[in-house]
Amino acid sequence: MARYVMVVDTTKCVECYACRVACQTQNSLPPDKSFNRMEVRENGSFPNVKAHAYPLQCQHCDNPPCQHVCPTHATYKRPDGVVLVDPKKCIGCKYCMTACPYQARVFGKDQVAEKCRLCVELLEQGIKPACESTCMCNVRTSGDLDDPKSPVHALLANKKIVQLRPDHGTKPRLYYIV
Amino acid sequence: MKRNVWLTVFAGLIVFGLVGAVMVLTKGHSVFGTTDYVPWGILISTYIFFVVTSTGLCLISSMGHVFGIEPFQFIAKRAVLLAIVTLLAGFAVIGLELGQPLHLFWILLSPNPTSAIFWMGAMYSLYLVLMIVEFYLLMRGQHDWAKKAGLAAFVAAITAHSILGSIFGFLHARPFWEGPYLPIYFILSALISGTAILIVMYFIKEKDEMPSAIVPALTKLLMLFVGISIFFSIWKVMTGIYGHPYGKYEAFQALFSGPLSWSYWLFEVGLGMLVPVIVLLINRSRAAVFWVAATILVAIFFMRYNLVVVGQIVPLEVIDVSTSVAYLHFYRPTWVELSIVAGALGFTGFAYLWGEKKFNLNVSGHNKAVKTT
């Protein structure tokens, strides 16, 4: 059984938003909706300041609040770790949208609460997700923790790794290099 | 004559609401002011307003026909009827707020017991059935059984309404809502709503010779509950601003001097707390009591709006709590949302007046009926 994770190297990101465009194309999303979002933080004090871009999306938590609050099990977690939404079960109550600490949910044109699927249909075939393959700086790296050859191991071992808001106890599957 | 005027007004509101309903059913949530950042808008707060009224009616009217406190016994049938009507209005509002109301059957086929919304749906459905049974038994004059159904409805009402509070209380991502405060506060708020609407109903029906002893009793209750609500609100504010906790402090700034300040100071604090206390301290005439009760009902509508919106307009701190963001998300209801609110109010008035004509609600002599059976 695969254990999919994604490592996001924020130090390489130049904020070109190509990932967002690729995601919107891959998922046929309208211009004002995206499963991908960018947040910028400025650190330091003048003159030593640095802008830091964080590409954000569903963190595919191992303890996903959106799954716990969903009244119909429309949000579910696959054994390989990917959190998905079954649109036919979603009643559109938007509880998951208020429960997610990462602001990852998007209310789509089908009137259901959608989000990043980690392009799981591509991942299963060994193809990279759209946001990853389009990135010119290799910011994102997806992989299977159970696959010893996966490049994610080296990234997770060598750099300074953080998870977003670990205090919420959500145990995200996305790791950020900062 | 006057009744027909009201029926026409209410029917007009229903038609306006139906226009909004058609809009949302054909165009989806794009006709709402809600966004991905503020997914819950005025329809959620209106739903809470209706079910808080229904719960309050059940709790306060239970004092008479369930717990046997004399002055409250004469209003039972009206209270139960209006509780059913307001609950149905609430269900209509939440049904239109759902993106996919037709998928609702999945809540039966694939229920998630860790979801507070599942439990709320289950408990409010049970509550609705119990209230209908209670009303039927009251109309049949079977007061002993009505009392049992009323007791069950009382328990269901408290359970369902505190679960509604827990929907917000369980959200650890939303600092303003998270915690045990809201389930408890919602019950208090139901007691205020129930008392206020019973006073309003009493004065509208005064001619039917209901015992006037109920008015001083309800007035004292109203003052007590408003006092408790001020006490609750003060500590909610204090714990929210002391030490500038992220999410809570920003939310209170939005209420004090931000986009919700008019709604907070004018309605929540002014009409909901200060005006009732000041007026009832200096003047407890029948007219004053009536207007205070009506004012409180309006204020509670805005209180629920503030509660729902302010919990979402402060941006979530996704990266790190230490780097807070200096802006607020925007939400303003559209006319479609307001039309559904108006339609639900129209439905409440219309259905209640219809029910009053249809059923004989005046003969409410609880004790008398018990003796004759």
Side-chain angles (χ1 to χ4, degrees), chain A residues 29 36-37 42 58-59 65 71-72 77 81 85 97 113 115 117 130 140 149 152 164 173 175:
Chain A
L29 293 169
N36 246 312
R37 182 161 77 77
E42 290 166 5
C58 172
Q59 304 286 307
T72 59
K77 191 167 174 69
V85 182
M97 300 181 75
K115 61 173 198 62
R117 297 168 292 105
R140 286 177 174 83
K149 291 185 211 123
V152 293
L164 299 182
R173 286 264 178 131
Y175 298 87

Side-chain angles (χ1 to χ4, degrees), chain A residues 41 56 59 61 65 100-102 162-172 174 176, chain B residues 172-175 246-247 315-323:
Chain A
R41 292 287 181 279
L56 294 169
Q59 304 286 307
C61 309
C100 174
Y102 304 105
V162 296
Q163 287 177 308
L164 299 182
R165 293 305 301 269
D167 53 315
H168 281 306
T170 50
K171 303 192 179 104
L174 262 71
Y176 285 78
Chain B
H172 300 299
R174 306 278 170 175
Y246 183 78
L316 293 177
E317 191 37 271
V318 174
I319 312 290
D320 184 353
V321 268
S322 62
T323 54

Side-chain angles (χ1 to χ4, degrees), chain A residues 33 41 67-73 87-88 90-95 97-98 100 103 107 110-111 165 168, chain B residues 28-29 34 36-37 39-40 98-100 103 106 110-112 114-115 117 167 172 174 316-319 323:
Chain A
K33 300 278 178 191
R41 292 287 181 279
Q67 184 204 8
H68 301 322
V69 302
C70 179
T72 59
H73 288 299
K88 81 171 189 298
C90 176
I91 62 171
C93 68
K94 309 191 198 177
Y95 199 7
M97 300 181 75
T98 55
C100 174
Q103 195 77 63
F107 201 68
D110 299 331
Q111 307 298 301
R165 293 305 301 269
H168 281 306
Chain B
H29 282 209
T34 52
D36 293 336
Y37 297 100
W40 287 347
L98 291 178
Q100 288 287 1
H103 290 184
W106 282 104
S110 169
N112 183 1
T114 64
S115 169
I117 283 188
I167 288 179
H172 300 299
R174 306 278 170 175
L316 293 177
E317 191 37 271
V318 174
I319 312 290
T323 54

